[in-house]
Amino acid sequence: NFTYCPETGLAKGNEHSAFSGWAFPFPGVFLMEELISKDEESEIVELMDRDDWKPSQSGRKKQDYGPKVNFKKQRLKAGSFTGLPSFSKKIVAQMKACPVLGGFLPVEQCNLDYMPERGSAIDPHFDDWWLWGERLVSLNLLSKTVLSMSCDSEDRIQLFPAFSKENGELSPPGSFTQTSVCKNSGKEGINGVLSPRLVPGKEVTVAIHLPQRSLVVLYGDARYKWKHAIYRKHIEHRRICVTFRELSAEFSAGGRHEKLGKELLEIALSFQGRPV
């Protein structure tokens, strides 16, 4: 019932929803369109299709380049991991131009193939945070889609009017973030200005539109407070998602498993890998 606006960083209420005319800041999303060219996209997909795609959950197929992990027992080893694929070296270099990806060192790459004929989708979920670090990076190939964000928290979200009555322009983010909420929340006050409105987080869903060849990064609140999903209705053509993950603090410099993390990064960044 809300749509994320990359220009303002706001989630804006959809026109025909109960939240039309309302908005709230939605931090933790970075979206870059056209990270790669059409020719680069074609070359990458051609190279992927030379390797086998293994069946995955919910009508998807996958190619994994990463260490062997048992998330339930929290065990990790290199296994048959030989690194990220050679074609990803250029992608990783291009990602360094993104302001939110300073120091990003991918230790795992997962290619996921979505097809409408297979009913491909993925339910709302959090990515693991014992092993994977704060930034989740995904490159969207072959077709556009929608990343759907939802929240199970009991917390309430404070909305503010998206447009002022005077000129119809978008109110600046955070206009009401420090405003105390009136008893008539969501109704017109004495001066005819809408008061902020509190709504349960569970009632809010946010659509992040991902154009073809765009890069999206989830971090902060979007990573840890909001679940992400891809629904069947948003897979209209073949779509490939290339997700890169970094190590958590536990496996990074100064962490309890720093040595193992360093070994895995050396393997990953050799860019000599085949799907495991």
Side-chain angles (χ1 to χ4, degrees):
N1 40 37
F2 285 80
T3 298
Y4 177 73
C5 174
E7 289 77 21
T8 61
L10 298 176
K12 298 192 286 187
N14 293 338
E15 186 178 345
H16 298 294
S17 77
F19 301 109
S20 177
W22 295 88
F24 67 97
F26 195 79
V29 179
F30 173 82
L31 183 66
M32 175 182 278
E33 296 191 23
E34 297 286 340
L35 180 81
I36 60 174
S37 68
K38 287 184 178 181
D39 288 344
E40 288 172 322
E41 177 186 46
S42 298
E43 182 182 357
I44 289 167
V45 174
E46 183 186 344
L47 290 169
M48 286 180 184
D49 285 341
R50 291 180 186 178
D51 288 311
D52 291 334
W53 290 91
K54 296 181 179 179
S56 185
Q57 298 173 328
S58 305
R60 297 170 298 155
K61 292 186 177 181
K62 68 178 180 179
Q63 296 174 340
D64 275 325
Y65 300 83
K68 187 175 178 61
V69 189
N70 185 322
F71 288 106
K72 286 186 178 179
K73 296 181 179 179
Q74 293 196 343
R75 291 179 181 171
L76 174 70
K77 61 181 180 179
S80 56
F81 180 39
T82 54
L84 303 188
S86 58
F87 62 79
S88 292
K89 189 171 185 177
K90 187 176 180 181
I91 299 173
V92 171
Q94 287 169 294
M95 289 184 340
K96 291 180 180 178
C98 302
V100 299
L101 291 179
F104 182 81
L105 298 172
V107 73
E108 192 240 22
Q109 175 179 332
C110 182
N111 304 333
L112 287 165
D113 185 312
Y114 291 73
M115 288 282 278
E117 294 83 356
R118 297 196 301 265
S120 302
I122 185 166
D123 291 335
H125 68 284
F126 292 112
D127 278 30
D128 176 84
W129 46 65
W130 159 69
L131 176 58
W132 309 132
E134 178 169 359
R135 294 166 291 187
L136 304 177
V137 183
S138 292
L139 179 60
N140 186 58
L141 302 179
L142 294 183
S143 62
K144 65 180 182 179
T145 193
V146 176
L147 190 62
S148 299
M149 312 295 289
S150 57
C151 181
D152 292 337
S153 170
E154 297 295 333
D155 294 344
R156 290 177 173 265
I157 294 172
Q158 185 165 310
L159 310 180
F160 64 86
F163 294 91
S164 65
K165 287 189 173 182
E166 290 79 13
N167 52 23
E169 291 182 358
L170 194 67
S171 301
S175 297
F176 292 95
T177 51
Q178 301 300 323
T179 306
S180 59
V181 180
C182 307
K183 287 184 180 179
N184 66 337
S185 182
K187 298 179 181 178
E188 288 193 10
I190 297 171
N191 59 0
V193 177
L194 283 171
S195 305
R197 175 182 174 186
L198 283 177
V199 296
K202 291 181 178 179
E203 293 183 8
V204 172
T205 54
V206 180
I208 302 175
H209 289 266
L210 304 181
Q212 186 176 346
R213 294 186 301 281
S214 64
L215 184 86
V216 64
V217 183
L218 301 181
Y219 61 97
D221 283 2
R223 160 81 162 106
Y224 296 115
K225 292 185 178 181
W226 293 81
K227 292 182 177 180
H228 56 276
I230 300 282
Y231 294 121
R232 286 178 177 83
K233 64 182 179 181
H234 293 136
I235 300 298
E236 300 173 4
H237 307 283
R238 187 187 185 195
R239 178 223 178 204
I240 291 178
C241 173
V242 185
T243 296
F244 298 93
R245 298 182 177 95
E246 64 184 342
L247 289 167
S248 67
E250 190 170 334
F251 295 89
S252 302
R256 190 157 57 106
H257 299 298
E258 175 185 357
K259 185 179 178 183
L260 175 57
K262 188 177 180 181
E263 291 172 4
L264 292 173
L265 272 175
E266 285 179 1
I267 295 171
L269 299 178
S270 70
F271 294 101
Q272 297 176 353
R274 297 292 302 275
V276 295

